[in-house]
Amino acid sequence: MITRRKFLERSSWAAGALAMNRNRLIPALSQAETHHPPAAAAAALDPNALAKFVDPLPYPRIAQPDGYRAAPADPHRKAPYYRIAMRETEAKIHRDLKPTCFWTFGSSAPGPTFEARSGEGIWVEWANELPGEHFLPIDHNLHGAEADQPPVRTAIHLHGAKVPPESDGYPEDWFVPGKSRLYYYPNQQDAAMLWYHDHAMGINRLNIYAGLLGTFFIRDDVEDSLHLPQGKAEIPLVLYDRMLTREGQLLYPVSDKPHAPWVPEVFGNAILVNGKLFPYLEVEPRKYRLRLLNASNGRFYHLSFPSGLPFHQIGTDQGLLQAPVPLESLVLAPAERADLIVDFSASRGEQIVLKNDAGAVMQFRVSGNLADDPSSLPAVLRTVPRIPEAEAVRTRWLTLDEYDNGVAEPILMLLNASHWKMPITEKPILNSTEIWTFINPTDDSHPIHLHLVRFQILDRQRYEPWTYQTTGKLKFSGPVVPAEPNEAGWKDTVRADPRMVTRIIVRFEGFAGRYVWHCHILEHEDNEMMRPYEVIAAP
Ligand code: C2O
Ligand code: CU
Ligand code: CU
């Protein structure tokens, strides 16, 4: 707390003024805006000046085990053991750029892809072999990133995994270069696309921006029985945006206050797919399964193909939807995943650009051959039983709060007006069901993520922020909007949209212990839109 107080004093804001500004509405931070001083902008590269679609899309390499070790609960079963080192690496992100320096798992960003079976646990040893200094701007005012903390720290979290607390990568359980952590992932959950990334307290946004992220697939028999496109026809697409210097190096923007470099959001103009800028992919005229992940710090994508191209969403963060949902465009918030089936069979010989709003992201080059397509797109995918609201033993009301310094510059973001270090307030009982209601008085959409669990979105409803702010009462001003069809499966991250109340229903299953919930806009998470929560073993 001392640091916080110092931070506020330095920003010449007394704690009292801050309290009065609670929930003060901050003007919309548009996605086009980048919060960096003009100096940084001048040094930045304009990616649109580069040739498009000159690099083939890379497929991340599949992680291979380095051995076997006894499984924790069953010493007779040997579980695959992987060792993944984090290193500084150089990578070509575009034909016409010099190699870019990244921090990666293994030797690439994204790191190696894990392929796991549901019910078959694996060990992963995450080894920090990074250099001793950070190459991106640390803000020592942020909680956990004080000047007396080591600059290079990593904590590795498998996002979307149901894991015991000691393997979850708690943000304070970080380790420095030369150290490692051995984690066990039981994989006792449905087929889904998970992802792993850094989670170190106070510098998570920098470590992920540097490249510390990768994908992790869990497969199961239900998925196998559907005969979805597989092998070369199943393609992970990991999207993240970056700003680059003229020399093609990562540029992480800073505020114009040298003592407080933190910026509230980062929107890069270079959108990388599997680590390449404007890649192309040669495909056959058949169905493909695209596994999308938004690994950006703060960017929401609004993706579309040219009109007329059939495109279905079959799965979301935590696995398959009940039935395919036809879409014309897709919104993907930070940390969300989408499992798509795209049918190129009517596009022989065409070149199809995947767009984010008006901008090109990548290109699919459909060959002119006749391809045979053994895959199918079944009408029913998996049963997703709705959790009845009546099952909830408790409803929690949780606010998403931004604080500014009086001139509309955000300086702090909290969950439920609580700092990370304050006592734990969310303590669900193991195997109980709760409704979590997020009240968002800000102008930002916050993608809220809970560790350990999967959940369902109940609904969203607009309310009057002014009434709430002045009286503390919720006055709804719009209809109850159910989850969109492509959100109606199992989720682990939910868009809490501005001036809306968003409700989710969660069964706290798996393990008791301490986890976290947070906004997945990484700048928000680091300052300090993240809270611990604890699942309590039933008495
Ligand atoms: Cu994607 Cu707490 O993480
Ligand atoms: Cu997570
Ligand atoms: Cu947020």
Side-chain angles (χ1 to χ4, degrees):
M1 301 311 287
I2 288 173
T3 306
R4 176 65 49 205
R5 186 172 287 277
K6 270 198 209 135
F7 171 48
L8 293 171
E9 277 160 14
R10 262 209 295 271
S11 324
S12 75
W13 282 93
L18 182 75
M20 275 170 52
N21 277 328
R22 172 154 187 240
N23 293 343
R24 182 190 169 112
L25 297 173
I26 290 169
L29 299 162
S30 100
Q31 294 259 309
E33 254 182 275
T34 44
H35 299 268
H36 57 83
L45 177 100
D46 175 12
N48 284 304
L50 293 167
K52 292 195 176 68
F53 318 131
V54 293
D55 292 287
L57 177 84
Y59 284 48
R61 148 185 110 72
I62 306 293
Q64 299 300 328
D66 296 287
Y68 290 85
R69 292 192 177 199
D74 175 5
H76 299 294
R77 202 182 78 76
K78 292 263 180 277
Y81 158 83
Y82 300 76
R83 184 179 187 278
I84 306 284
M86 289 165 256
R87 297 198 190 99
E88 188 165 280
T89 343
E90 293 209 312
K92 286 272 285 180
I93 62 173
H94 187 277
R95 183 193 67 189
D96 300 332
L97 289 178
K98 294 210 183 73
T100 306
C101 177
F102 287 97
W103 284 5
T104 57
F105 290 101
S107 51
S108 63
T113 294
F114 285 86
E115 281 285 349
R117 286 297 300 180
S118 176
E120 297 178 9
I122 66 167
W123 292 101
V124 181
E125 181 171 6
W126 304 104
N128 184 338
E129 297 181 2
L130 294 166
E133 290 302 323
H134 217 296
F135 72 107
L136 297 176
I138 295 177
D139 187 331
H140 294 298
N141 303 290
L142 300 188
H143 178 75
E146 293 82 2
D148 59 352
Q149 301 290 334
V152 180
R153 301 172 280 119
T154 57
I156 310 308
H157 170 61
L158 180 53
H159 179 125
K162 192 164 133 188
V163 298
E166 60 275 15
S167 288
D168 194 48
Y170 197 68
E172 290 175 342
D173 187 19
W174 45 258
F175 48 101
V176 297
K179 301 283 185 204
S180 69
R181 286 284 183 280
L182 179 62
Y183 285 167
Y184 186 71
Y185 301 113
N187 299 326
Q188 280 174 0
Q189 56 190 102
D190 291 350
M193 180 194 203
L194 314 182
W195 64 300
Y196 58 95
H197 60 72
D198 177 75
H199 221 303
M201 196 80 205
I203 52 169
N204 170 27
R205 70 194 184 292
L206 306 175
N207 287 351
I208 295 182
Y209 197 85
L212 290 175
L213 59 105
T215 57
F216 189 114
F217 290 95
I218 297 184
R219 312 284 181 180
D220 69 10
D221 296 345
V222 175
E223 180 188 37
D224 290 349
S225 72
L226 297 174
H227 304 289
L228 298 166
Q230 53 168 315
K232 279 234 167 304
E234 185 189 14
I235 300 161
L237 296 180
V238 182
L239 270 54
Y240 44 90
D241 60 332
R242 295 292 181 266
M243 291 179 72
L244 300 166
T245 65
R246 292 250 173 78
E247 293 70 45
Q249 298 305 308
L250 293 181
L251 176 66
Y252 187 92
V254 291
S255 78
D256 50 12
K257 298 172 210 68
H259 59 279
W262 175 83
V263 292
E265 276 99 15
V266 175
F267 304 118
N269 49 7
I271 295 174
L272 306 186
V273 190
N274 297 354
K276 288 278 181 196
L277 187 52
F278 305 125
Y280 70 87
L281 179 68
E282 284 174 353
V283 294
E284 294 180 344
R286 52 159 292 170
K287 287 188 285 303
Y288 279 78
R289 184 176 182 194
L290 307 180
R291 312 291 303 265
L292 271 70
L293 158 66
N294 181 354
S296 305
N297 282 37
R299 182 178 287 283
F300 290 61
Y301 292 90
H302 183 224
L303 301 166
S304 63
F305 291 104
S307 59
L309 183 70
F311 146 44
H312 286 84
Q313 185 165 349
I314 60 166
T316 179
D317 309 339
Q318 283 285 320
L320 294 163
L321 289 160
Q322 185 134 328
V325 177
L327 290 178
E328 276 167 14
S329 67
L330 170 73
V331 173
L332 209 58
E336 281 189 312
R337 285 87 76 207
D339 194 348
L340 305 181
I341 300 284
V342 183
D343 192 346
F344 296 110
S345 61
S347 310
R348 272 202 275 163
E350 289 178 29
Q351 302 191 334
I352 294 170
V353 175
L354 172 65
K355 296 198 152 179
N356 177 40
D357 290 319
V361 172
M362 69 172 288
Q363 183 195 51
F364 294 90
R365 294 182 187 164
V366 190
S367 74
N369 313 331
L370 246 187
D372 60 296
D373 186 352
S375 70
S376 60
L377 175 57
V380 177
L381 298 161
R382 152 165 248 154
T383 45
V384 180
R386 300 303 301 170
I387 308 178
E389 271 190 55
E391 197 181 293
V393 296
R394 173 155 193 174
T395 295
R396 295 182 194 270
W397 301 85
L398 304 156
T399 56
L400 316 178
D401 309 303
E402 294 185 3
Y403 303 87
D404 71 12
N405 57 3
V407 290
E409 288 175 338
I411 52 164
L412 174 67
M413 314 205 171
L414 299 178
L415 294 171
N416 227 19
S418 305
H419 287 269
W420 167 259
K421 270 292 171 204
M422 288 161 73
I424 299 183
T425 39
E426 286 71 61
K427 295 182 177 177
I429 309 281
L430 184 62
N431 295 320
S432 76
T433 300
E434 297 192 354
I435 293 172
W436 285 27
T437 305
F438 305 114
I439 303 167
N440 182 358
T442 75
D443 279 357
D444 288 331
S445 185
H446 300 277
I448 301 295
H449 169 53
L450 277 68
H451 286 206
L452 174 70
V453 291
R454 58 181 188 175
F455 55 74
Q456 293 173 355
I457 301 173
L458 290 172
D459 46 46
R460 298 184 178 91
Q461 192 171 13
R462 189 161 295 282
Y463 73 99
E464 273 183 17
W466 184 247
T467 311
Y468 181 71
Q469 207 175 322
T470 49
T471 69
K473 292 207 175 62
L474 274 177
K475 186 170 160 207
F476 290 104
S477 56
V480 174
V481 186
E484 286 165 31
N486 67 331
E487 297 178 311
W490 292 107
K491 296 276 294 167
D492 57 41
T493 306
V494 59
R495 256 179 25 242
D497 287 337
R499 297 158 189 214
M500 293 197 110
V501 165
T502 301
R503 298 195 311 143
I504 61 169
I505 188 161
V506 198
R507 224 178 258 144
F508 289 88
E509 292 172 314
F511 303 93
R514 202 176 49 169
Y515 295 90
V516 302
W517 67 286
H518 60 88
C519 175
H520 222 290
I521 293 177
L522 303 178
E523 285 69 33
H524 296 188
E525 176 183 345
D526 270 348
N527 183 26
E528 193 175 297
M529 219 175 215
M530 175 165 74
R531 284 279 291 156
Y533 84 91
E534 189 174 357
V535 180
I536 308 287

